[in-house]
Every structure is written in structure tokens, then in C-alpha cells.
Amino acid sequence: MKKVRDGYRINKEDKAVKALQESVRQVRGIDLPLVGKKLVTDAGIFVKEMNIPTVCYGPDQSKAHGEVEYVKTSELENTIKVYLQFIHEYLGIKNSNISYR
């Protein structure tokens, strides 16, 4: 393995972190742990070079980048719901009337 990009950090009190946590809580009914992941994304570029607070969130990655690679449709649907709720949370939009169940 070869390192291709540096990691990054974001303050756990950042508005984007709080919005993502609340979105996951509302959509999936779980508390999102504040942890890092070993992934290659463009997030570090946004944070380090453009000073844009950035969070990463996506569907279950347990079957990603393997010999047999797939994501369940239900995981994609839940991820979309989290993204939509994140927009509402981050922008402070109330009464979104989004149904998650």
C-alpha cells in the first residue's frame, strides 16, 4: 500500500459534525460515533486547501472494493435520506416533512 493523501481533522463541535450526527440519529435511529476512517477522499483537500469544514458519510462499506463488490439498495436509500436531512439540519430548516420510516 502507498499513501496517496494526508488525513485531516475537523472540530467535533463544528456545525457540520453536529448536523451529521443529528441527521443519522433522525434517519437511522443510532448515535454516530466520532471516529476517523482510513479512506481516500477529497475531503482533506477541502479542509486543508480551502478551509471548508468537511465530513464524510456513506453507505455500508463492508463489501466495498473487494472481489465481489456491492451495496444494498436499502443502504443507498438510507444514505440519501441522511444527506437530505443533513441539508435541513445544516441550514436550520425546520418542519422538513421528510418521512424516514
Side-chain angles (χ1 to χ4, degrees):
M1 297 186 88
K2 179 181 174 185
K3 181 179 173 181
V4 295
R5 196 167 287 145
D6 288 331
Y8 72 96
R9 293 182 185 271
I10 181 173
N11 186 321
K12 67 182 179 181
E13 299 300 321
D14 190 273
K15 182 178 177 180
V17 174
K18 297 294 185 185
L20 181 59
Q21 286 180 302
E22 183 58 26
S23 299
V24 171
R25 188 176 299 115
Q26 286 189 36
V27 174
R28 301 189 69 116
I30 60 172
D31 289 325
L32 191 63
L34 295 174
V35 297
K37 292 211 56 147
K38 292 182 180 182
L39 299 171
V40 176
T41 71
D42 291 337
I45 295 170
F46 298 134
V47 173
K48 290 182 174 185
E49 295 182 22
M50 296 180 232
N51 201 30
I52 299 171
T54 307
V55 293
C56 291
Y57 181 82
D60 177 27
Q61 299 170 6
S62 62
K63 298 293 182 185
H65 309 299
E67 190 173 317
V68 177
E69 181 175 27
Y70 68 90
V71 175
K72 292 180 181 177
T73 304
S74 60
E75 272 297 311
L76 294 174
E77 291 170 345
N78 283 332
T79 301
I80 291 166
K81 291 174 185 177
V82 170
Y83 293 164
L84 291 172
Q85 186 61 39
F86 175 82
I87 292 167
H88 285 89
E89 292 294 328
Y90 191 80
L91 297 177
I93 299 170
K94 301 298 178 198
N95 300 323
S96 63
N97 296 323
I98 299 174
S99 174
Y100 299 116
R101 310 273 180 206

